Amino acid sequence: MMPATPAAAAQIRQRLLPISSSSSPACCSNPRPRLPARPRAAPLSMSAEARAAPSPLAVPPPAHPTYDLSAVIALALSEDAGDRGDVSCLATIPTDVKAEATFIAKEDGVIAGISLAEMIFNQVDPSLKVEWFEDDGNYVSKGLQFGKVYGCAQSIIVAERVVLNFMQRMSGIATMTKAMADAARPACILETRKTAPGLRLVDKWAVLIGGGKNHRLGLFDMVMIKDNHISVAGGITNAMTSVDQFLEKEKLAVPVEVETRTLEEVTDLLKYADENKTSLTRIMLDNMVVPLPNGDIDVSMLKDAVQLINGRFETEASGNVTMDTVKKIGETGVTYISSGALTHSVKALDISLKIDTELALQVGRRTNRA
């Protein structure tokens, strides 16, 4: 299995050239997904230049010590194939039939998941060839044809739904992230751990593609003292004392963030930092954005907290972050703005993969989706 490190992911990213029917490798004999341990080398039908120098990912996935993208892809393919494979393909499509299918954007947005799509096609059938006309992170408009896949028709159809499920979710996240990141400047937009179970790395990869930054990947790469930790520890000072002692004892060097909910907690934390050698790096200012009855927000408490901290530590605003509020929050001087909505309730971007492109576009225009 292949861990999702940037180096490993970079080995996947290869722009594949279109092939003719006469030069295609033999089609698959059974429309059940192949689940190889790792992507194979480029097929011999590719040019020597293309084989020699695979291009790096424009936006590589976050590095995670245990997350395995190949295993996630394998699970997605396996739940689709079950124990029989694609009985619809078996019933209707001869194994030697080749096809060309086109990716079509059915609404405007930021495309994401192109690199992951290549990984999926490769696991299903390494002989498939993929050609892209856009890159991850590019803006696409409704009706745009932005990529093609060539080869065994059965393999294309077996991979189709899994590819689209990932790409549509990632593109939805990237689209929302791009809009929020643009509005939040000069603050940086972050996601949270409110990701789909099993898709943590995929969701966070989409945030990067959309122009955001990643918060902690999990429980292991940052000490984050939240309200429940503080309550059990008996206050912010006790919690921070324990953190500093633990990190020194274990000889760990990781970022440390503490959640504050009141200006008094901010003051207590700053007082601790004045009096002690501390590993504190960031202060979260939670729910200091107050909704008003007229639909506006009051950010005065957030501004006061930022002024108290006065650049000594990074700051992060959290709570009541929406497309309508993020610009005003970003103007308070906070370093980061975190939003769980980027991943926990995002709307997927509508994308299709069609063999009969002309008919698909006709139908799309009829339904205002092309």
Side-chain angles (χ1 to χ4, degrees), residues 1 99 110 116 119 121 130 175 184 257 274 336:
M1 295 290 185
V110 175
L116 185 58
M119 297 167 72
F121 282 127
V130 189
T175 300
E257 179 171 11
D274 284 338
Y336 299 104

Side-chain angles (χ1 to χ4, degrees), residues 180 295 297 321-328:
M180 275 206 173
I297 53 171
V321 178
T322 68
M323 272 305 306
D324 294 330
T325 64
V326 69
K327 184 176 188 299
K328 194 168 184 178

Side-chain angles (χ1 to χ4, degrees), residues 26-241:
C27 273
C28 58
S29 58
N30 187 341
R32 294 180 66 177
R34 295 180 71 263
L35 306 178
R38 56 181 57 84
R40 294 185 176 182
L44 294 176
S45 57
M46 293 178 62
S47 69
E49 182 180 276
R51 293 197 307 272
S55 56
L57 291 171
V59 182
H64 192 290
T66 60
Y67 197 94
D68 190 336
L69 265 178
S70 287
V72 171
I73 293 169
L75 178 61
L77 292 169
S78 178
E79 70 181 3
D80 222 12
D83 60 350
R84 289 193 178 93
D86 187 343
V87 293
S88 303
C89 275
L90 286 170
T92 60
I93 302 175
T95 58
D96 60 348
V97 171
K98 299 176 182 64
E100 173 183 305
T102 302
F103 285 94
I104 305 171
K106 299 172 81 172
E107 58 184 320
D108 300 345
V110 175
I111 200 69
I114 283 175
S115 300
L116 185 58
E118 291 187 4
M119 297 167 72
I120 296 166
F121 282 127
N122 188 78
Q123 287 203 195
V124 170
D125 182 351
S127 73
L128 292 176
K129 305 293 186 290
V130 189
E131 183 181 21
W132 301 104
F133 314 129
E134 301 291 339
D135 290 319
D136 275 328
N138 285 8
Y139 184 84
V140 296
S141 56
K142 182 171 65 175
L144 182 70
Q145 300 176 39
F146 64 88
K148 292 186 177 183
V149 57
Y150 312 77
C152 174
Q154 288 186 349
S155 297
I156 291 171
I157 294 171
V158 163
E160 173 193 1
R161 177 44 51 197
V162 172
V163 166
L164 291 177
N165 283 350
F166 278 114
M167 288 191 74
Q168 289 181 143
R169 179 174 175 82
M170 289 183 72
S171 297
I173 292 170
T175 300
M176 174 67 84
T177 301
K178 172 64 174 170
M180 275 206 173
D182 287 348
R185 291 191 178 94
C188 297
I189 200 76
L190 306 171
E191 85 296 82
T192 67
R193 285 168 51 237
K194 297 174 184 178
T195 52
L199 298 182
R200 173 72 54 82
L201 191 99
V202 175
D203 284 0
K204 285 179 173 283
W205 190 2
V207 168
L208 294 179
I209 291 170
K213 294 189 176 181
N214 288 151
H215 208 302
R216 58 176 178 162
L217 291 176
L219 301 174
F220 62 93
D221 57 334
M222 171 187 263
V223 173
M224 188 167 177
I225 305 304
K226 294 178 67 66
D227 51 359
N228 286 335
H229 301 102
I230 293 167
S231 297
V232 173
I236 275 187
T237 299
N238 288 347
M240 200 59 235
T241 300

